[in-house]
Amino acid sequence: MSIIRVAVSGQPNCGKSTMFNAITGGSARVGNYPGITVDRLEGVYQQNGDSIHLVDLPGTYSLTSYSMEELVARNVIVDEHPDVVINMIDATALERSLYLAVQFMEIGAPMVLGLNMMDEVKRNGVTIDVKKLSTLLGVPVVPCVARVGQGREELMKAVAAAYKASNGKWKPIRLSYGPELDPVIERMTAIIAEAGFLVDRHDPRWVAIKYLENDEQVIEEGRAAGSLSAKLEALCKEAEVHTRQHVGTTPDAIIADWRYGFINGLLKQGVVSGGDELRRTSSDSIDRIVTHKVLGPVIMLAVLWVMFQITFTLGAYPQGWIEDGFTWLAGIGTQYIPEGDLQSLIVSGIIGGVGSVIGFTPLICIMFAMLVFLEDLGYMARVAYMMDKVMRIFGLHGMSVMPLIMSGGIPGGCAVPGVMCARTLRSPRERLATILTAPFMVCGAKTTAYLMLVAAFFPDNPTRAMFLVVLAAWGFVLLVSRLLRSTLVKGESTPFVMEIPPYRLPTLRGVIHHTLERVWQYVKKAGTVILAVSIIMWAVMTFPKLSEETVAGYDAKRDAAAEQVKAANPDANEENLAALTEDATKAIEDEQNEEALKNSFGGRVSQFISPVTELAGFPWQANVALIGAFAAKEVFVSTMATAYSMGEVDPEESESLSEKLAADPAWTLPAILSVFVFMLLYTPCMVTVVAIAKETNWKWATFSVFGSMAFAFAVSVAIYQIGKLILV
């Protein structure tokens, strides 16, 4: 029995994953490519004694390392050296789709071409001569309709035949790139081959072409390999000067032109006939409205608003059920576990922490389902097209809009799905800038804190105050994105090369399948790390405890208060006496909680940093509340309540706390504005930090913690100090 290793490739929206699912059925398993978060799907197909092992590559437009997906697809081909590559292409856009196929042929991988959507081709009155296309390309070509599984078996037979015909040998094709580049390519190829430079992974001519395309990953690899890289880069600069002087463009543009020229020449040999003018007519008609200069943005905002409302309105019900379930579980823990540290750890630390993560799952599920639907429909590509010019000014990408909205661009969002939503960005730089700034938005948890603060300090104009907070969030996101793209995430913006696919109604099965994959990844990843972080935060806010003498002193006060109540109400029954005693001892209980909070590591840190935070005008109560809010921003309200000796306060009903804050002279206007801005910009909550780590790495997650903290503090100090000069 032969084991055939196959990579399934294709451009986004070409039906690649649909065909992969049709071939592998329920055998596919989900994983990740090593070190990154791009999903890796694998499955097996048995045929005539052959075991065909398939891996589904990320959807890519090319094999140049503009995006993580393109880099992953290329590295799988280069490093894993599959026996055969299946390249699924959209037959309704043959010229565009063959661009990726040509690049696979340049690498030399044995390939089978799957012409998907042949039913649409016929419906549009177009005829593709499959046999002639196969002959001209020199690879097997199989017509398919992936959504109904048509062509699946023929594709697998072609794979087995290609495997046997290639006998494990790769044969790169040699395209001409014209008189301006061919000489330098030949010269560089000879130098690379003679020195054995990078030839253990790549074909020498391919390396030369990638240097001319200014492929960052190959150039970095070359620099690490030796000094020859400098010589090759010098030749590339000479070539660029030459091409700019003679043809007014760059080598990479010439290479792309000649590839398309090769494809055009091939198709003009009678491969495609009839009905060209009919293709995409319906999509073009829809786009006249959907991407219209005025109507397009209005429709886009409406779609985003509807998505937002559905996610956070509809999702609130199952989220509430899950939270109720964890509350019930905490009640069970409180009832059956003896009172003490173990009970506190399990109930407050573990159940509370894990519950906060699992509670987001319904929002994630609903949001991803709609996102997958819009992606498969072809609408997200149009959103990116419309917003790209504006977002590019600030170093972002058109696709950044969706993560920012989800994170709280409209108050009430959540940074966790927002950060995960940034997966739709193809460019790594713009994606990273989006992920790092999305937590600045006014998420639902921050909204509860701001509602309390606004009610305390701006009771006459709460709507205007909240509106200004939201505007400030957008302003900081754009400014910080520009700052990041000019410094730490420096580099030219990725070219906007996304093709606009025709509209195509997604299948229910496809939407469910892809949604559940993403949701499971979230639960599995976030749920494991967050447990450890929850326990740490619980310990920080719990230990060390008050001394036995101090606790005994409070017990004595409670006993004395109870005796006074008993003496003052000699005729009260047992139930009334208990209620009166509880009221009388509540102030003592709150005072003890406040002292316990001050005595904990979190409280001690708060007091320790007070001399520093006084520069920003923070009252000590805000210090400890902001530390506690790292666990979840909602904790800000409850910790402030404890710090103001008010016991537990429901974040949704915090009027009494607002009154107490308003009466505190420490909250001057400069201090209020300083805390408002700090709350907006400082460290994301721990769930978001974990999500950032999983979507990037722990280095950037750590930066999001300390970088945001430093930036927020600097801005807050500036606001407070300037405010004191002007307003006080």
Side-chain angles (χ1 to χ4, degrees):
M1 181 179 74
S2 299
I3 297 177
I4 306 173
R5 297 171 299 114
V6 176
V8 184
S9 65
Q11 296 180 345
N13 298 303
C14 73
K16 170 183 63 70
S17 296
T18 306
M19 179 55 83
F20 176 84
N21 291 330
I23 293 172
T24 59
S27 69
R29 59 188 175 82
V30 183
N32 267 5
Y33 289 99
I36 54 176
T37 57
V38 176
D39 293 341
R40 178 185 176 114
L41 292 174
E42 295 183 39
V44 178
Y45 182 84
Q46 304 290 346
Q47 174 185 263
N48 300 327
D50 292 328
S51 180
I52 302 176
H53 293 220
L54 300 106
V55 56
D56 186 18
L57 300 182
T60 61
Y61 292 100
S62 74
L63 293 183
T64 301
S65 59
Y66 285 140
S67 73
M68 187 186 297
E69 288 79 6
E70 288 165 345
L71 195 57
V72 166
R74 190 173 79 192
N75 286 344
V76 168
I77 300 297
V78 171
D79 295 331
E80 300 186 13
H81 216 271
D83 297 313
V84 179
V85 173
I86 295 176
N87 183 204
M88 295 299 298
I89 66 174
D90 180 352
T92 66
L94 200 54
E95 181 181 347
R96 167 173 63 86
S97 302
L98 282 173
Y99 189 79
L100 180 61
V102 168
Q103 292 182 74
F104 280 123
M105 292 165 68
E106 287 184 285
I107 288 181
M111 185 173 68
V112 173
L113 209 61
L115 286 188
N116 191 25
M117 304 174 200
M118 286 297 284
D119 54 341
E120 290 189 32
V121 170
K122 291 178 182 175
R123 204 158 46 237
N124 290 335
V126 178
T127 301
I128 297 177
D129 189 334
V130 175
K131 188 175 179 182
K132 181 172 283 187
L133 180 62
S134 175
T135 302
L136 292 171
L137 287 174
V139 300
V141 179
V142 180
C144 309
V145 181
R147 62 185 175 81
V148 294
Q150 185 179 319
R152 175 185 55 185
E153 294 178 0
E154 291 82 356
L155 205 57
M156 291 296 94
K157 287 178 183 175
V159 164
Y163 168 70
K164 290 170 185 170
S166 68
N167 198 26
K169 294 181 180 177
W170 287 28
K171 296 177 181 176
I173 65 168
R174 297 287 189 260
L175 290 185
S176 170
Y177 292 107
E180 308 299 337
L181 290 184
D182 277 349
V184 70
I185 290 176
E186 293 304 321
R187 186 178 169 193
M188 292 172 69
T189 302
I191 293 172
I192 292 167
E194 184 180 352
F197 186 72
L198 300 180
V199 294
D200 55 329
R201 293 187 74 211
H202 311 294
D203 174 67
R205 180 182 167 85
W206 187 84
V207 173
I209 293 170
K210 288 298 151 189
Y211 261 82
L212 285 167
E213 287 185 306
N214 196 27
D215 187 295
E216 290 182 3
Q217 201 250 353
V218 169
I219 292 175
E220 282 180 16
E221 195 179 338
R223 287 172 180 167
S227 59
L228 186 61
S229 180
K231 185 176 181 180
L232 295 174
E233 290 178 55
L235 287 171
C236 290
K237 287 182 179 175
E238 287 180 19
E240 183 171 352
V241 171
H242 175 80
T243 56
R244 285 188 182 279
Q245 288 176 343
H246 289 79
V247 290
T249 188
T250 55
D252 58 332
I254 294 175
I255 290 170
D257 286 346
W258 279 80
R259 281 179 184 146
Y260 275 116
F262 169 79
I263 296 167
N264 269 326
L266 184 143
L267 295 180
K268 285 179 180 176
Q269 297 182 50
V271 173
V272 181
S273 58
D276 284 355
E277 70 283 358
L278 297 176
R279 286 189 289 163
R280 298 190 183 213
T281 298
S282 58
S283 290
D284 291 343
S285 300
I286 297 171
D287 277 342
R288 288 193 187 98
I289 300 173
V290 171
T291 60
H292 187 271
K293 286 183 180 178
V294 178
L295 292 177
V298 174
I299 294 171
M300 181 193 71
L301 289 174
V303 169
L304 293 177
W305 185 83
V306 170
M307 282 186 68
F308 184 87
Q309 288 297 320
I310 291 175
T311 299
F312 294 103
T313 303
L314 188 63
Y317 294 101
Q319 187 180 26
W321 299 333
I322 291 176
E323 288 173 353
D324 289 345
F326 275 94
T327 302
W328 173 81
L329 200 59
I332 296 291
T334 305
Q335 184 176 354
Y336 290 102
I337 301 173
E339 189 173 348
D341 290 341
L342 180 62
Q343 184 198 79
S344 177
L345 169 64
I346 293 176
V347 173
S348 303
I350 296 176
I351 297 177
V354 175
S356 67
V357 176
I358 303 301
F360 286 114
T361 307
L363 304 185
I364 300 270
C365 187
I366 294 170
M367 185 272 294
F368 273 144
M370 291 187 290
L371 199 60
V372 167
F373 179 85
L374 291 177
E375 283 178 345
D376 291 353
L377 184 67
Y379 182 68
M380 292 309 297
R382 287 157 174 86
V383 170
Y385 165 74
M386 287 187 288
M387 292 302 299
D388 191 64
K389 284 185 180 177
V390 177
M391 302 304 282
R392 189 173 291 271
I393 295 172
F394 299 97
L396 296 174
H397 190 277
M399 294 295 283
S400 301
V401 172
M402 181 63 72
L404 296 179
I405 292 283
M406 279 290 163
S407 297
I410 302 172
C414 175
V416 177
V419 167
M420 297 184 73
C421 185
R423 288 181 176 192
T424 52
L425 276 83
R426 295 178 60 239
S427 157
R429 293 191 184 94
E430 286 90 336
R431 178 171 177 269
L432 182 58
T434 304
I435 288 174
L436 292 176
T437 54
F440 291 170
M441 289 300 185
V442 187
C443 65
K446 283 184 188 174
T447 302
T448 59
Y450 277 119
L451 287 175
M452 183 269 291
L453 293 171
V454 165
F457 304 117
F458 303 100
D460 298 330
N461 294 296
T463 303
R464 185 190 301 173
M466 282 302 293
F467 182 68
L468 290 175
V469 168
V470 175
L471 281 185
W474 275 100
F476 278 117
V477 164
L478 296 177
L479 289 174
V480 173
S481 296
R482 183 66 271 170
L483 183 64
L484 286 171
R485 295 287 284 109
S486 303
T487 54
L488 297 177
V489 197
K490 200 173 181 179
E492 292 185 8
S493 297
T494 302
F496 189 79
V497 295
M498 179 179 284
E499 295 284 345
I500 306 297
Y503 290 102
R504 194 169 291 116
L505 194 63
T507 62
L508 179 62
R509 181 179 177 182
V511 171
I512 293 174
H513 182 80
H514 293 128
T515 301
L516 292 181
E517 274 178 13
R518 297 185 187 187
V519 171
W520 172 239
Q521 290 294 309
Y522 163 74
V523 172
K524 189 173 67 173
K525 290 174 182 175
T528 49
V529 179
I530 211 70
L531 178 61
V533 181
S534 300
I535 293 173
I536 292 171
M537 288 305 299
W538 167 83
V540 166
M541 303 299 284
T542 305
F543 295 104
K545 293 192 166 188
L546 294 173
S547 65
E548 291 183 0
E549 294 77 12
T550 305
V551 174
Y554 282 109
D555 288 341
K557 286 183 179 179
R558 275 191 288 270
D559 291 342
E563 288 299 326
Q564 288 178 1
V565 169
K566 192 173 181 180
N569 301 277
D571 299 329
N573 60 31
E574 189 173 338
E575 185 178 348
N576 290 336
L577 196 60
L580 291 169
T581 303
E582 185 177 347
D583 290 341
T585 57
K586 184 176 184 303
I588 301 169
E589 192 76 34
D590 291 342
E591 187 182 344
Q592 183 178 354
N593 288 338
E594 180 186 346
E595 188 165 345
L597 185 62
K598 281 184 176 179
N599 190 59
S600 70
F601 286 119
R604 293 183 184 192
V605 170
S606 165
Q607 294 173 71
F608 178 74
I609 63 175
S610 282
V612 177
T613 58
E614 283 174 2
L615 294 172
F618 295 173
W620 79 265
Q621 296 96 332
N623 283 347
V624 70
L626 289 167
I627 292 173
F630 173 63
K633 300 299 180 189
E634 297 95 330
V635 174
F636 180 84
V637 177
S638 58
T639 309
M640 286 288 281
T642 302
Y644 274 89
S645 303
M646 295 189 62
E648 295 187 1
V649 169
D650 186 343
E652 305 292 339
E653 299 174 0
S654 53
E655 293 85 357
S656 55
L657 178 58
S658 295
E659 291 170 3
K660 201 148 190 172
L661 285 176
D664 187 345
W667 290 91
T668 61
L669 184 56
I672 293 166
L673 297 177
S674 172
V675 170
F676 266 58
V677 170
F678 192 81
M679 168 75 77
L680 202 63
L681 302 178
Y682 93 116
T683 306
C685 71
M686 65 178 180
V687 185
T688 304
V689 172
V690 172
I692 292 173
K694 294 303 180 184
E695 294 300 312
T696 58
N697 54 49
W698 276 106
K699 183 187 82 173
W700 285 113
T702 304
F703 174 78
S704 76
V705 173
F706 295 102
S708 299
M709 180 80 77
F711 177 71
F713 186 68
V715 175
S716 293
V717 169
I719 288 175
Y720 180 69
Q721 297 298 334
I722 295 172
K724 272 205 313 182
L725 294 175
I726 299 173
L727 302 173
V728 178

